[in-house]
Amino acid sequence: MKRQERIKILFNRQNAFALVILLLCLAVCYWLLNPQVNILTPEGFRQTVKNLGLLGPFVYIGILALSVVISPIPSAPLAVIAGTIWGTLMAGIYSIIGGFIGGLIAYFLGRTLGRSAIKALTGKIIYFSKNRGETYLSWVIFITRMLPIFSFDLISYAAGIAGLSLPKYALATFLGMIPSTFLLTYMGGALRVGTPLGIAISIILLIVIIVLPWLIRRYNWLDLRDVVRVE
């Protein structure tokens, strides 16, 4: 293949669009992580969202989407804080929208930019084996969305790199996010109300979602080692 043809393939419209999105995400992430901005601290986030009024949920959705693409932004603590601001239901809806959008962006970047670019961005990569079919892989993604077995961003990038069907990826991601997301916002809502029973239930469920992923990795449940490889 001639050099000019290779350059055209590398810098086609889709790749250029993906690079623009990635650079924009990195720029916003750099700004958010600036200590002077002070939006990612619990009090700073709460105050900023309240000051924005009706725009607060949209800013939160954007930050949560960005947290999936750029992992240094802490998504789980923000979801808990959101629960203290908007309550379990509305915070859960906002969180699912933000996380789902972020997952789609990461999927698109993985599918477009490829393994080398994503490894340069994250420092590691997850390989998906499609030997058992896309349906089985969709179930794996569903489980990893419910339980923090692997990083949200790595799973999203890996699904794109592996060329997993977008409808199957989107459905598994959306449905898998619902239980864990509402758990986090429920914890925030329980903290806001201050009910001892709600706090106790939240702690128990939190322990479960920490222990279960460890057991799955330790004893290779679902044969994850045959399907997923992290480097």
Side-chain angles (χ1 to χ4, degrees):
M1 184 182 296
K2 295 181 180 180
R3 184 178 180 182
Q4 291 181 346
E5 293 178 351
R6 290 199 299 266
I7 292 175
K8 286 182 180 180
I9 293 174
L10 182 63
F11 293 100
N12 58 34
R13 285 186 178 181
Q14 190 172 2
N15 284 3
F17 182 58
L19 284 172
V20 169
I21 292 177
L22 180 58
L23 291 174
L24 181 61
C25 289
L26 288 172
V28 175
C29 178
Y30 178 80
W31 178 76
L32 289 174
L33 293 174
N34 189 331
Q36 295 180 349
V37 175
N38 196 36
I39 192 175
L40 295 183
T41 63
E43 191 55 40
F45 174 76
R46 186 179 290 106
Q47 193 61 45
T48 299
V49 167
K50 287 184 177 180
N51 291 340
L52 290 171
L54 294 176
L55 291 177
F58 295 99
V59 172
Y60 170 66
I61 288 171
I63 293 175
L64 211 62
L66 186 62
S67 72
V68 178
V69 182
I70 310 294
S71 56
I73 297 178
S75 58
L78 290 180
V80 175
I81 298 171
T84 67
I85 298 173
W86 296 297
T88 301
L89 179 60
M90 294 310 301
I93 293 173
Y94 298 149
S95 300
I96 290 172
I97 293 173
F100 184 67
I101 292 173
L104 291 180
I105 293 174
Y107 171 91
F108 170 71
L109 293 177
R111 186 154 190 165
T112 304
L113 299 180
R115 183 171 289 110
S116 299
I118 299 306
K119 188 169 185 178
L121 175 65
T122 63
K124 60 179 67 174
I125 200 70
I126 292 183
Y127 293 86
F128 279 166
S129 171
K130 297 175 71 175
N131 293 335
R132 299 197 179 189
E134 289 196 343
T135 300
Y136 182 85
L137 195 56
S138 299
W139 278 106
V140 170
I141 291 176
F142 173 78
I143 296 297
T144 59
R145 291 311 193 207
M146 286 198 302
L147 301 171
I149 303 172
F150 300 107
S151 174
F152 198 129
D153 61 328
L154 289 180
I155 289 292
S156 304
Y157 286 131
I161 293 171
L164 180 66
S165 166
L166 177 58
K168 290 183 178 181
Y169 165 79
L171 184 62
T173 294
F174 178 76
L175 295 179
M177 285 176 58
I178 293 175
S180 58
T181 301
F182 276 108
L183 168 61
L184 292 172
T185 57
Y186 175 79
M187 290 175 60
L191 291 173
R192 181 182 67 172
V193 177
T195 57
L197 179 60
I199 295 174
I201 292 174
S202 299
I203 293 174
I204 293 172
L205 291 175
L206 184 61
I207 292 173
V208 170
I209 67 172
I210 291 175
V211 172
L212 269 181
W214 179 84
L215 290 174
I216 291 173
R217 289 194 301 266
R218 176 70 176 80
Y219 296 103
N220 193 29
W221 294 352
L222 305 175
D223 295 327
L224 282 183
R225 293 175 191 165
D226 301 326
V227 180
V228 182
R229 188 175 86 255
V230 183
E231 291 185 359

